[in-house]
Amino acid sequence: MHVNLLIVDDHLPIIEGYKSILSFNKSGYTIETTAATSLERAYKIITQEPKTTFFDAVFIDLTLPEYPEQKLFTGEDLVPVVKKHLPNAKIAILTSHAESILMYRILNESNPNGILVKSDFTSEEFLVAFGVIMKGENYYSTTVLNYKKQLVPGNKIFDSYNRQIIQLLSQGVKTKNIQEILHLSKSAVDKRKAAIKEMLDIDKGTDEDILREARKRGLI
């Protein structure tokens, strides 16, 4: 079976490594790989008209040079572009990051066919993951599976605003600026921070206490 694969990663040696691993597949795939080392290049390849290549799969690294002109800041932002322009392509996200909030967002908002945490997989597992994904099934590496068991959709700690508040606090953003970014009143932000403290079992703590407990629990 012939497979056209687009790999988006800003390190060419890593792309070459993936290509080398895939060349040893035992599933009969003949894999033709196209490399994109930035979100801008990937965007142009995916959206080009007329299409010269219809990709069967797109493997995307999470951390990539930004392309603000198209509001692409991470590999995750590229997923809707792939789904729009290559609706039949399988999508996998590869990342060095494994924070719970990040995993929750990717699973529930991007919903790719595969998520692989780089510290999890060997060459052999990468081949297995590729085969599973190409069969139309989902593949999650060990860390993702462990987090998936913990992430209960009804848990308010993971609702969109709460996740964003924790992430913005971790970036040093002050409450005043959080209000502006999230378009919430100061009262709404304060109430959400109080709720986050309660869910994290923090009694009258500060923003630093939120961050300390969030890090302890692997949320950020």
Side-chain angles (χ1 to χ4, degrees), residues 35-78:
T37 56
S38 67
L39 286 168
E40 179 177 3
R41 179 63 182 145
Y43 179 85
K44 290 177 178 177
I45 291 172
I46 293 165
T47 61
Q48 66 178 335
E49 294 293 348
K51 289 273 189 296
T52 56
T53 304
F54 286 87
F55 292 98
D56 302 292
V58 183
F59 279 35
I60 310 167
D61 187 42
L62 197 65
T63 306
L64 292 158
E66 298 178 354
Y67 186 29
E69 290 83 352
Q70 292 296 334
K71 298 183 179 179
L72 301 175
F73 301 100
T74 72
E76 193 179 356
D77 296 328
L78 195 63

Side-chain angles (χ1 to χ4, degrees), residues 12-156:
L12 273 174
I14 290 178
I15 293 176
E16 291 301 318
Y18 292 149
K19 288 169 62 177
S20 177
I21 293 169
L22 291 172
S23 70
F24 290 98
N25 82 85
K26 298 178 181 177
S27 302
Y29 292 113
T30 301
I31 304 169
E32 185 174 341
T33 303
T34 299
T37 56
S38 67
L39 286 168
E40 179 177 3
R41 179 63 182 145
Y43 179 85
K44 290 177 178 177
I45 291 172
I46 293 165
T47 61
Q48 66 178 335
E49 294 293 348
K51 289 273 189 296
T52 56
T53 304
F54 286 87
F55 292 98
D56 302 292
V58 183
F59 279 35
I60 310 167
D61 187 42
L62 197 65
T63 306
L64 292 158
E66 298 178 354
Y67 186 29
E69 290 83 352
Q70 292 296 334
K71 298 183 179 179
L72 301 175
F73 301 100
T74 72
E76 193 179 356
D77 296 328
L78 195 63
V79 173
V81 180
V82 177
K83 289 183 177 181
K84 178 181 178 180
H85 293 273
L86 299 166
N88 296 318
K90 306 294 190 296
I91 302 171
I93 289 180
L94 299 98
T95 176
S96 299
H97 302 278
E99 298 85 357
S100 292
I101 287 179
L102 174 64
M103 290 297 111
Y104 182 90
R105 190 179 70 234
I106 294 174
L107 284 163
N108 288 274
E109 296 179 12
S110 295
N111 191 27
N113 302 93
I115 307 173
L116 292 149
V117 175
K118 292 181 180 179
S119 59
D120 280 350
F121 64 85
T122 60
S123 299
E124 186 176 336
E125 184 175 358
F126 186 73
L127 282 172
V128 171
F130 181 81
V132 169
I133 291 167
M134 291 312 301
K135 288 177 182 177
E137 301 172 16
N138 291 339
Y139 189 95
Y140 306 121
S141 64
T142 305
T143 298
V144 184
L145 286 173
N146 289 337
Y147 279 133
K148 201 169 184 291
K149 294 173 185 176
Q150 302 171 25
L151 302 179
V152 181
N155 187 342
K156 293 182 181 179

